[in-house]
Amino acid sequence: MPDLTSGPIGKTLILFALPVLATNILQSLNGSANAIWVSHVLGEAALTATSNANQIMFLMLGASFGLTMASNIMIGQAIGGRNEAMAKKVIGTSTAFFIVVSLTVGAVGAWLTPHILTWMGTPAEAKRDAIAYLRVIFSAMPFMYFFTYVMMAQRGTGDSRTPFHFSLVMVGLDVVLNPLLITGFGPFPKMGIAGSATSTLIAQTVTLLAMIVHLYRKNSMLVLRPHELRLLIPDFGIIRSLVTKGLPMGFQMIVTSLAAVTMMSLVNKHGVHTSAAYGAAAQLWTYVQMPAMALGAAVSSMSAQNVGAGKMDRVERTARSGVLYAFLFTAVPVVLIYLADPWVLRAFLPATSPSLPIAVHINSIVLWGFIAFGMAFIFSGVVRATGAVWPPLLAMIISLWGIRVPMANLLEPHLGAEAIWISFPVGSFATLVLAWGYYMWGGWRTSRMLPTTPPVTDEPDTGFGQPMIEEAEVMAEAAERAGEREKAAT
């Protein structure tokens, strides 16, 4: 397995982050390809339907993020501490836990789909399509959850390349199947907007199965052999850590997703053209955030292993390098998109669409805030890797629900949709200030997610443990008795 506890910080960080970035790009290209087919074949109402449904999908995936991240960190800390037995125990318990969680979320979500979309205020002309799309997405949710868990577990071991390779397969399948199932080309059924979601379901399922087979063939430590199936019996200490540490991280993603859903409901009030413009602009925002998200995953995995190895100075240097790279690699796509508008937006909106100038205006205000948000993501990733999970959550609650959402609500009666766009960069800069403040002065350096005691092994004694101490005591007592006998004899 790759060792993230040694070697040059910058080079190791970039080499780990690049496959993660490529994976994120592939997944977003997949989402963009779906949006292009939906908008150009089925129209703006269908694009609005997928935009509303995707907010719910991201909310559900955000709920699993914390649990997968907690598992990633525990695996990383165990590997950094050279405790493979603990890593295996985490893997077994996490696998059983995610099977139960993913099936539950998929079933409950499919049942509640119409109520969720009603609560969001989805436009009437888009609601029927949104229900059809979202119900299939919830059917795919168990496979999405488990696919995400396996990818995060591999990154915890230091491997970010294998997830990229299988993401390439998954996206390839989805991109090919999407237009075939939407239009009913050849022998494929014509499913309309449900075809877009069905292609995701098929691609996720096939790729997940292929990835598991690959891990077994490579004898990966992430898979359980027949004699290790007892590890699927949950360890309640590990479940406690998954829940107490994972839920705050999951809540952070839920807080973000709920804020996005709330902002979407505000946007929906301004009509289908503004909603479509917002959906198109949001497609580009995904790409802008990718470098920082990849770097955040890299610094979390690196920091977790170094925390397990007790190398806190290396954790600090990882944070400094990560923030610098996040600034540079987020600023570049922001500038490029700003210069390329409106041409780049025409991939999602026809050139004659009344939504196009609205989307250009939205980007001119919102884009710049992602630079600050990307830097904050690094600080949060580092402190979470130690197990300090509540402060990043509180920072996100304050910046989104204490600043962004109230600001949009309060100013919208006076500024209209402009209030929504202005609230984005203001909230992002607040997130950066809070994340940086806790990194500088918080108590995250002493937090841990796993016990720091050394692993119990069957290795032979090296002469530095308890057996040598006992032997020395026996020799000292024998020498003392011999001295007493010699003294008595004289």
Side-chain angles (χ1 to χ4, degrees):
M1 293 177 294
D3 184 8
L4 304 180
T5 63
S6 60
I9 297 286
K11 181 180 178 182
T12 304
L13 187 62
I14 293 298
L15 289 178
F16 189 95
L18 282 176
V20 180
L21 176 60
T23 301
N24 292 345
I25 290 174
L26 282 173
Q27 292 175 343
S28 293
L29 283 172
N30 183 35
S32 297
N34 292 354
I36 290 170
W37 278 107
V38 167
S39 65
H40 286 278
V41 175
L42 302 176
E44 287 187 358
L47 178 60
T48 300
T50 58
S51 296
N52 279 260
N54 283 338
Q55 294 291 346
I56 302 302
M57 181 182 71
F58 297 145
L59 174 62
M60 294 297 101
L61 291 174
S64 73
F65 168 82
L67 300 174
T68 59
M69 194 67 198
S71 178
N72 171 298
I73 292 170
M74 285 194 283
I75 292 170
Q77 288 186 6
I79 289 174
R82 304 296 187 264
N83 193 341
E84 186 172 335
M86 176 60 77
K88 276 283 190 180
K89 189 178 291 186
V90 172
I91 291 164
T93 296
S94 299
T95 299
F97 189 74
F98 270 95
I99 290 173
V100 174
V101 170
S102 62
L103 291 174
T104 302
V105 170
V108 173
W111 175 48
L112 293 177
T113 290
H115 306 288
I116 295 170
L117 292 169
T118 298
W119 174 77
M120 284 181 64
T122 303
E125 59 265 43
K127 188 173 180 180
R128 191 175 75 171
D129 282 346
I131 291 173
Y133 181 86
L134 190 55
R135 277 192 165 145
V136 179
I137 287 295
F138 272 118
S139 300
M141 198 65 70
F143 304 100
M144 291 182 181
Y145 267 28
F146 210 74
F147 187 77
T148 303
Y149 158 65
V150 176
M151 287 201 305
M152 295 289 279
Q154 288 177 84
R155 291 171 185 171
T157 67
D159 179 14
S160 61
R161 294 184 180 181
T162 302
F164 162 68
H165 295 149
F166 281 94
S167 291
L168 185 61
V169 174
M170 186 270 291
V171 170
L173 281 173
D174 202 352
V175 168
V176 170
L177 290 173
N178 203 286
L180 299 178
L181 292 174
I182 289 176
T183 61
F185 182 81
F188 293 91
K190 185 177 181 180
M191 302 177 67
I193 196 169
S196 179
T198 302
S199 69
T200 299
L201 170 61
I202 295 171
Q204 289 275 354
T205 305
V206 171
T207 307
L208 175 61
L209 294 175
M211 182 187 292
I212 293 173
V213 170
H214 170 79
L215 292 175
Y216 269 105
R217 292 184 61 187
K218 292 296 183 181
N219 198 29
S220 169
M221 71 172 295
L222 294 176
V223 295
L224 302 177
R225 299 294 171 180
H227 68 280
E228 296 173 324
L229 292 180
R230 57 184 173 79
L231 294 174
L232 289 173
I233 300 173
D235 181 301
F236 290 101
I238 293 174
I239 287 182
R240 189 182 305 111
S241 291
L242 279 173
V243 173
T244 59
K245 301 295 185 179
L247 284 183
M249 290 188 282
F251 285 151
Q252 183 170 341
M253 298 300 293
I254 291 173
V255 163
T256 304
S257 296
L258 281 175
V261 169
T262 302
M263 300 300 277
M264 187 81 224
S265 66
L266 291 175
V267 172
N268 286 337
K269 294 179 182 178
H270 295 271
V272 69
H273 295 307
T274 301
S275 295
Y278 180 81
Q283 289 288 333
L284 298 180
W285 301 347
T286 302
Y287 294 100
V288 170
Q289 296 177 81
M290 278 185 201
M293 293 177 67
L295 287 165
V299 298
S300 289
S301 296
M302 284 186 65
S303 298
Q305 287 200 16
N306 283 285
V307 166
K311 298 182 177 181
M312 293 304 295
D313 60 325
R314 188 172 171 87
V315 174
E316 301 255 9
R317 286 186 285 136
T318 299
R320 289 194 293 269
S321 297
V323 169
L324 176 61
Y325 288 139
F327 174 81
L328 293 175
F329 296 155
T330 306
V332 169
V334 165
V335 172
L336 290 177
I337 290 174
Y338 182 76
L339 295 175
D341 272 348
W343 297 279
V344 68
L345 284 166
R346 290 181 184 174
F348 310 104
L349 295 168
T352 57
S353 170
S355 299
L356 186 60
I358 301 174
V360 172
H361 178 68
I362 293 172
N363 274 343
S364 68
I365 298 173
V366 173
L367 277 175
W368 307 99
F370 289 112
I371 299 174
F373 191 80
M375 297 167 69
F377 201 79
I378 302 300
F379 287 126
S380 296
V382 171
V383 303
R384 278 197 305 260
T386 66
V389 294
W390 284 102
L393 171 62
L394 294 175
M396 194 64 68
I397 291 173
I398 293 170
S399 61
L400 294 182
W401 290 96
I403 297 175
R404 177 181 292 176
V405 174
M407 182 179 181
N409 275 295
L410 290 172
L411 295 181
E412 191 201 14
H414 308 286
L415 300 178
E418 199 77 2
I420 303 172
W421 322 140
I422 294 172
S423 69
F424 274 90
V426 173
S428 296
F429 280 103
T431 305
L432 174 59
V433 170
L434 293 170
W436 173 76
Y438 181 73
Y439 172 81
M440 292 296 295
W441 298 292
W444 61 274
R445 292 167 181 82
T446 59
S447 180
R448 294 293 181 273
M449 195 171 288
L450 284 177
T452 55
T453 52
V456 177
T457 67
D458 295 327
E459 297 175 356
D461 176 63
T462 60
F464 293 99
Q466 186 67 20
M468 173 164 271
I469 296 175
E470 294 174 351
E471 183 182 352
E473 290 174 349
V474 171
M475 292 176 64
E477 291 174 0
E480 184 178 352
R481 288 195 297 267
E484 289 175 354
R485 287 195 299 268
E486 183 179 351
K487 183 178 181 181
T490 58

